[in-house]
Amino acid sequence: MMKTIIAAYSGVLRGTGSSILSALQDLSWLSKSKVEKQLQIISVLQWVLTFLIMGVACTVILMYILCTDCWVIAAVYLAWLVFDWNTPKKGGRRSQWVRNWAIWRYFRDYFPVRLVKTHNLLTNRNYIFGYHPHGIMGLGAFCNFSTEATGVGQKFPGIRPYLATLAGNFRMPILRDYLMSGGICPVNRDSIDYILSKNGSGNAIVIVVGGAAESLNCMPGKNSVTLKNRKGFVKLALRHGADLVPVYSFGENEVYKQVIFEEGSWGRWVQKKFQKHIGFAPCIFHGRGLFSSNTWGLLPYSKPITTVGRHWI
């Protein structure tokens, strides 16, 4: 009887071992490369959603909390918001911890994004980087200058980059703090004057010169920059004695496909009205899907972005 029980028990163990081995073989899709690819997709998706909806979503959530029993939390944050309102205009509140998050390295590797150094920058000078092209979301500008994923701090030691973006973003709760943590500042005269005159030396303000107007013409295979009537950044450089550094991201226009409206069309008219009164121009664009590159979605296409700057005094 004992031998029979032992034999049966051994058979069960052998069967269990075979089942476990079979299950592990079924999980072969969880290879390191595939896991990393999924992490890259997640890292890019979170920034795309941040860019598109975080400001509005956080505003709605805050208003909702004010109408609940937890209204004190929202009230305390709003009081802090009033107290902290002018911080974005004074260089913001950057966090090296946030800039060094591992998620940004996955973001970099998704495309991948690369920053090419062509010249040393002196730490006793201030700089204005004239960045082109805008693309749909300025993904190269964000990855290179608002994170440490491409090693901007190591390639240019002692230089503090500030990526300038729409001032309206800093009126959005939570979003403003998230942006400031990466060294992002409002693209207005007060903010730029402060950084270039009252924040010491070694500052580099990255201005996407073409702005919303340039984004309207971005499409794969086309390199078009908008410079007409955009000399304000040159005047600021002359006023503060800052050096100009032209910067171009090759591949920025390749990551999204856009419906281009011709000049004089109703679509372009609507876009220009939005640009004039709100500060941004709505674009009809698409990238790849979340689960397949053969479907449409909000994820950008995995196309290399190479950012190159040339020092020009």
Side-chain angles (χ1 to χ4, degrees):
M1 175 66 73
M2 183 61 69
K3 291 181 179 180
T4 303
I5 293 174
I6 292 174
Y9 185 70
S10 298
V12 170
L13 287 179
R14 285 196 297 271
T16 302
S18 300
S19 299
I20 293 174
L21 181 60
S22 177
L24 289 174
Q25 290 174 343
D26 291 339
L27 290 175
S28 61
W29 59 272
L30 280 174
S31 63
K32 182 179 179 180
S33 61
K34 291 183 178 180
V35 170
E36 287 186 351
K37 186 61 181 178
Q38 296 306 313
L39 290 173
Q40 291 169 13
I41 289 174
I42 292 170
S43 67
V44 174
L45 179 62
Q46 69 83 24
W47 177 249
V48 169
L49 295 178
T50 295
F51 182 90
L52 294 176
I53 67 172
M54 183 177 179
V56 174
C58 288
T59 302
V60 171
I61 292 172
L62 191 66
M63 294 301 102
Y64 171 76
I65 293 176
L66 275 173
C67 301
T68 68
D69 293 337
C70 298
W71 64 270
V72 175
I73 298 174
V76 169
Y77 179 81
L78 287 174
W80 161 254
L81 190 63
V82 173
F83 174 79
D84 195 55
W85 190 255
N86 289 324
T87 297
K89 299 178 183 179
K90 298 180 179 180
R93 188 170 45 248
R94 71 171 54 220
S95 166
Q96 285 302 116
W97 176 65
V98 173
R99 288 174 60 89
N100 282 286
W101 277 354
I103 193 172
W104 306 131
R105 294 192 290 275
Y106 289 113
F107 182 102
R108 172 199 65 197
D109 295 339
Y110 173 85
F111 297 95
V113 181
R114 188 165 67 100
L115 177 63
V116 178
K117 177 181 178 180
T118 62
H119 199 284
N120 290 324
L121 298 180
L122 300 176
T123 57
N124 62 350
R125 302 284 298 173
N126 285 324
Y127 303 89
I128 293 180
F129 289 8
Y131 182 94
H132 294 279
H134 184 287
I136 296 294
M137 297 185 188
L139 297 170
F142 169 76
C143 185
N144 284 307
F145 302 113
S146 294
T147 80
E148 293 296 330
T150 56
V152 63
Q154 296 175 351
K155 293 176 179 178
F156 303 100
I159 301 297
R160 294 181 300 275
Y162 293 86
L163 176 60
T165 187
L166 290 176
N169 289 323
F170 297 90
R171 302 187 187 102
M172 302 286 188
I174 309 300
L175 175 64
R176 67 190 294 277
D177 302 288
Y178 191 29
L179 295 179
M180 283 194 293
S181 68
I184 301 177
C185 68
V187 62
N188 57 35
R189 179 163 294 180
D190 290 341
S191 176
I192 295 173
D193 283 343
Y194 182 91
I195 293 172
L196 294 180
S197 63
K198 300 179 181 179
N199 201 42
S201 59
N203 303 294
I205 299 180
V206 184
I207 300 177
V208 185
V209 179
E214 193 170 81
S215 69
L216 298 180
N217 295 313
C218 71
M219 60 183 297
K222 181 179 180 180
N223 288 286
S224 175
V225 299
T226 301
L227 278 173
K228 188 177 180 180
N229 299 325
R230 293 176 182 267
K231 304 179 182 69
F233 72 104
V234 178
K235 294 178 181 177
L236 285 169
L238 291 172
R239 179 188 304 168
H240 296 288
D243 294 354
L244 288 173
V245 181
V247 180
Y248 199 90
S249 275
F250 297 91
E252 182 76 59
N253 287 344
E254 307 297 320
V255 297
Y256 280 111
K257 296 179 180 179
Q258 179 185 189
V259 176
I260 304 293
F261 294 101
E262 298 296 330
E263 290 291 342
S265 65
W266 67 270
R268 183 55 64 97
W269 179 83
V270 170
Q271 289 176 324
K272 287 187 173 181
K273 288 295 182 182
F274 266 85
Q275 179 189 339
K276 180 179 179 180
H277 297 292
I278 301 178
F280 76 94
C283 302
I284 300 177
F285 67 93
H286 73 84
R288 53 155 290 182
L290 182 60
F291 302 106
S292 172
S293 59
N294 296 321
T295 58
W296 288 9
L298 291 176
L299 276 176
Y301 293 104
S302 301
K303 302 291 184 179
I305 299 176
T306 303
T307 303
V308 184
R310 181 66 180 174
H311 188 202
W312 176 39
I313 300 177

Tab-separated table of all heavy atoms in Angstrom, residues 26-50:
chain	number	residue	atom	x	y	z
A	26	ASP	N	5.143	28.952	-22.048
A	26	ASP	CA	4.092	29.805	-22.581
A	26	ASP	C	4.359	31.283	-22.299
A	26	ASP	O	3.826	32.168	-22.975
A	26	ASP	CB	2.729	29.412	-21.994
A	26	ASP	CG	2.260	28.060	-22.508
A	26	ASP	OD1	2.754	27.638	-23.577
A	26	ASP	OD2	1.414	27.430	-21.843
A	27	LEU	N	5.173	31.575	-21.249
A	27	LEU	CA	5.491	32.952	-20.891
A	27	LEU	C	6.747	33.456	-21.600
A	27	LEU	O	7.343	34.452	-21.196
A	27	LEU	CB	5.683	33.068	-19.374
A	27	LEU	CG	4.420	32.914	-18.510
A	27	LEU	CD1	4.794	32.933	-17.037
A	27	LEU	CD2	3.421	34.018	-18.816
A	28	SER	N	7.162	32.758	-22.647
A	28	SER	CA	8.374	33.151	-23.354
A	28	SER	C	8.250	34.536	-23.985
A	28	SER	O	9.262	35.180	-24.285
A	28	SER	CB	8.702	32.120	-24.439
A	28	SER	OG	7.639	32.055	-25.385
A	29	TRP	N	6.996	35.025	-24.164
A	29	TRP	CA	6.804	36.347	-24.743
A	29	TRP	C	7.300	37.437	-23.799
A	29	TRP	O	7.550	38.575	-24.199
A	29	TRP	CB	5.324	36.586	-25.065
A	29	TRP	CG	4.425	36.492	-23.863
A	29	TRP	CD1	3.828	35.373	-23.359
A	29	TRP	CD2	4.024	37.569	-23.018
A	29	TRP	NE1	3.090	35.683	-22.255
A	29	TRP	CE2	3.183	37.017	-22.023
A	29	TRP	CE3	4.297	38.931	-22.988
A	29	TRP	CZ2	2.618	37.786	-21.021
A	29	TRP	CZ3	3.730	39.705	-21.999
A	29	TRP	CH2	2.899	39.131	-21.021
A	30	LEU	N	7.468	37.062	-22.509
A	30	LEU	CA	7.960	38.034	-21.546
A	30	LEU	C	9.481	38.120	-21.594
A	30	LEU	O	10.156	38.071	-20.569
A	30	LEU	CB	7.495	37.671	-20.133
A	30	LEU	CG	6.068	38.052	-19.755
A	30	LEU	CD1	5.711	37.492	-18.394
A	30	LEU	CD2	5.905	39.568	-19.740
A	31	SER	N	10.046	38.220	-22.764
A	31	SER	CA	11.487	38.358	-22.902
A	31	SER	C	11.887	39.773	-22.513
A	31	SER	O	11.067	40.695	-22.483
A	31	SER	CB	11.915	38.073	-24.341
A	31	SER	OG	11.341	39.024	-25.216
A	32	LYS	N	13.154	39.952	-22.201
A	32	LYS	CA	13.638	41.254	-21.743
A	32	LYS	C	13.379	42.339	-22.772
A	32	LYS	O	12.936	43.446	-22.434
A	32	LYS	CB	15.133	41.158	-21.433
A	32	LYS	CG	15.717	42.454	-20.892
A	32	LYS	CD	17.184	42.298	-20.577
A	32	LYS	CE	17.770	43.623	-20.056
A	32	LYS	NZ	19.216	43.498	-19.747
A	33	SER	N	13.637	42.036	-24.041
A	33	SER	CA	13.464	43.047	-25.083
A	33	SER	C	12.004	43.469	-25.224
A	33	SER	O	11.702	44.647	-25.427
A	33	SER	CB	13.985	42.516	-26.421
A	33	SER	OG	13.268	41.360	-26.820
A	34	LYS	N	11.092	42.499	-25.095
A	34	LYS	CA	9.670	42.819	-25.235
A	34	LYS	C	9.156	43.604	-24.034
A	34	LYS	O	8.327	44.509	-24.177
A	34	LYS	CB	8.862	41.542	-25.440
A	34	LYS	CG	9.118	40.885	-26.793
A	34	LYS	CD	8.245	39.662	-27.013
A	34	LYS	CE	8.491	39.051	-28.394
A	34	LYS	NZ	7.656	37.857	-28.629
A	35	VAL	N	9.644	43.257	-22.851
A	35	VAL	CA	9.255	44.013	-21.654
A	35	VAL	C	9.746	45.455	-21.778
A	35	VAL	O	9.018	46.406	-21.474
A	35	VAL	CB	9.821	43.352	-20.381
A	35	VAL	CG1	9.636	44.272	-19.177
A	35	VAL	CG2	9.139	42.016	-20.130
A	36	GLU	N	10.979	45.627	-22.241
A	36	GLU	CA	11.519	46.973	-22.409
A	36	GLU	C	10.723	47.763	-23.440
A	36	GLU	O	10.493	48.961	-23.266
A	36	GLU	CB	12.989	46.899	-22.819
A	36	GLU	CG	13.917	46.486	-21.679
A	36	GLU	CD	15.384	46.571	-22.066
A	36	GLU	OE1	15.662	46.781	-23.274
A	36	GLU	OE2	16.233	46.437	-21.172
A	37	LYS	N	10.296	47.105	-24.504
A	37	LYS	CA	9.500	47.785	-25.522
A	37	LYS	C	8.176	48.256	-24.941
A	37	LYS	O	7.722	49.374	-25.237
A	37	LYS	CB	9.251	46.848	-26.711
A	37	LYS	CG	8.559	47.532	-27.884
A	37	LYS	CD	9.393	48.687	-28.431
A	37	LYS	CE	8.702	49.383	-29.588
A	37	LYS	NZ	9.486	50.529	-30.094
A	38	GLN	N	7.546	47.419	-24.104
A	38	GLN	CA	6.289	47.815	-23.482
A	38	GLN	C	6.500	48.991	-22.528
A	38	GLN	O	5.675	49.908	-22.461
A	38	GLN	CB	5.671	46.623	-22.729
A	38	GLN	CG	5.272	45.460	-23.617
A	38	GLN	CD	4.348	45.865	-24.752
A	38	GLN	OE1	3.363	46.579	-24.547
A	38	GLN	NE2	4.652	45.412	-25.955
A	39	LEU	N	7.613	48.990	-21.801
A	39	LEU	CA	7.921	50.101	-20.907
A	39	LEU	C	8.170	51.382	-21.703
A	39	LEU	O	7.787	52.472	-21.272
A	39	LEU	CB	9.146	49.764	-20.049
A	39	LEU	CG	8.937	48.684	-18.979
A	39	LEU	CD1	10.258	48.323	-18.321
A	39	LEU	CD2	7.932	49.152	-17.922
A	40	GLN	N	8.784	51.250	-22.857
A	40	GLN	CA	8.992	52.412	-23.719
A	40	GLN	C	7.658	52.995	-24.175
A	40	GLN	O	7.461	54.217	-24.170
A	40	GLN	CB	9.839	52.017	-24.930
A	40	GLN	CG	11.284	51.675	-24.599
A	40	GLN	CD	12.020	51.029	-25.755
A	40	GLN	OE1	11.536	51.050	-26.896
A	40	GLN	NE2	13.170	50.445	-25.489
A	41	ILE	N	6.752	52.108	-24.566
A	41	ILE	CA	5.427	52.560	-25.018
A	41	ILE	C	4.692	53.269	-23.882
A	41	ILE	O	4.098	54.341	-24.082
A	41	ILE	CB	4.608	51.362	-25.537
A	41	ILE	CG1	5.190	50.868	-26.870
A	41	ILE	CG2	3.134	51.740	-25.709
A	41	ILE	CD1	4.539	49.603	-27.392
A	42	ILE	N	4.748	52.700	-22.686
A	42	ILE	CA	4.071	53.300	-21.532
A	42	ILE	C	4.658	54.671	-21.216
A	42	ILE	O	3.931	55.628	-20.924
A	42	ILE	CB	4.172	52.369	-20.307
A	42	ILE	CG1	3.347	51.097	-20.542
A	42	ILE	CG2	3.705	53.077	-19.037
A	42	ILE	CD1	3.564	50.021	-19.502
A	43	SER	N	5.992	54.775	-21.278
A	43	SER	CA	6.641	56.044	-20.950
A	43	SER	C	6.247	57.143	-21.931
A	43	SER	O	6.017	58.293	-21.540
A	43	SER	CB	8.160	55.873	-20.928
A	43	SER	OG	8.659	55.603	-22.233
A	44	VAL	N	6.169	56.802	-23.217
A	44	VAL	CA	5.782	57.793	-24.221
A	44	VAL	C	4.299	58.126	-24.097
A	44	VAL	O	3.897	59.297	-24.202
A	44	VAL	CB	6.106	57.280	-25.640
A	44	VAL	CG1	5.572	58.236	-26.699
A	44	VAL	CG2	7.611	57.104	-25.808
A	45	LEU	N	3.477	57.123	-23.840
A	45	LEU	CA	2.036	57.344	-23.728
A	45	LEU	C	1.713	58.288	-22.584
A	45	LEU	O	0.855	59.167	-22.721
A	45	LEU	CB	1.313	56.007	-23.529
A	45	LEU	CG	-0.207	56.089	-23.381
A	45	LEU	CD1	-0.841	56.659	-24.653
A	45	LEU	CD2	-0.793	54.715	-23.087
A	46	GLN	N	2.411	58.125	-21.435
A	46	GLN	CA	2.102	59.003	-20.299
A	46	GLN	C	2.419	60.454	-20.638
A	46	GLN	O	1.711	61.365	-20.216
A	46	GLN	CB	2.839	58.545	-19.037
A	46	GLN	CG	4.340	58.715	-19.011
A	46	GLN	CD	4.805	60.112	-18.598
A	46	GLN	OE1	4.085	60.828	-17.932
A	46	GLN	NE2	6.007	60.488	-19.015
A	47	TRP	N	3.487	60.703	-21.424
A	47	TRP	CA	3.798	62.086	-21.764
A	47	TRP	C	2.818	62.635	-22.790
A	47	TRP	O	2.430	63.809	-22.720
A	47	TRP	CB	5.226	62.219	-22.286
A	47	TRP	CG	5.512	63.625	-22.705
A	47	TRP	CD1	5.716	64.089	-23.959
A	47	TRP	CD2	5.558	64.783	-21.852
A	47	TRP	NE1	5.902	65.452	-23.950
A	47	TRP	CE2	5.804	65.905	-22.667
A	47	TRP	CE3	5.413	64.965	-20.472
A	47	TRP	CZ2	5.912	67.198	-22.151
A	47	TRP	CZ3	5.518	66.258	-19.963
A	47	TRP	CH2	5.767	67.344	-20.798
A	48	VAL	N	2.401	61.812	-23.747
A	48	VAL	CA	1.414	62.252	-24.733
A	48	VAL	C	0.110	62.651	-24.041
A	48	VAL	O	-0.483	63.691	-24.345
A	48	VAL	CB	1.166	61.142	-25.783
A	48	VAL	CG1	-0.050	61.480	-26.653
A	48	VAL	CG2	2.398	60.940	-26.656
A	49	LEU	N	-0.327	61.833	-23.094
A	49	LEU	CA	-1.557	62.151	-22.352
A	49	LEU	C	-1.373	63.383	-21.481
A	49	LEU	O	-2.300	64.183	-21.317
A	49	LEU	CB	-1.978	60.943	-21.504
A	49	LEU	CG	-2.392	59.691	-22.289
A	49	LEU	CD1	-2.748	58.558	-21.346
A	49	LEU	CD2	-3.571	59.995	-23.215
A	50	THR	N	-0.171	63.534	-20.927
A	50	THR	CA	0.135	64.743	-20.157
A	50	THR	C	0.010	65.973	-21.040
A	50	THR	O	-0.609	66.976	-20.664
A	50	THR	CB	1.561	64.668	-19.568
A	50	THR	OG1	1.623	63.600	-18.627
A	50	THR	CG2	1.941	65.968	-18.878
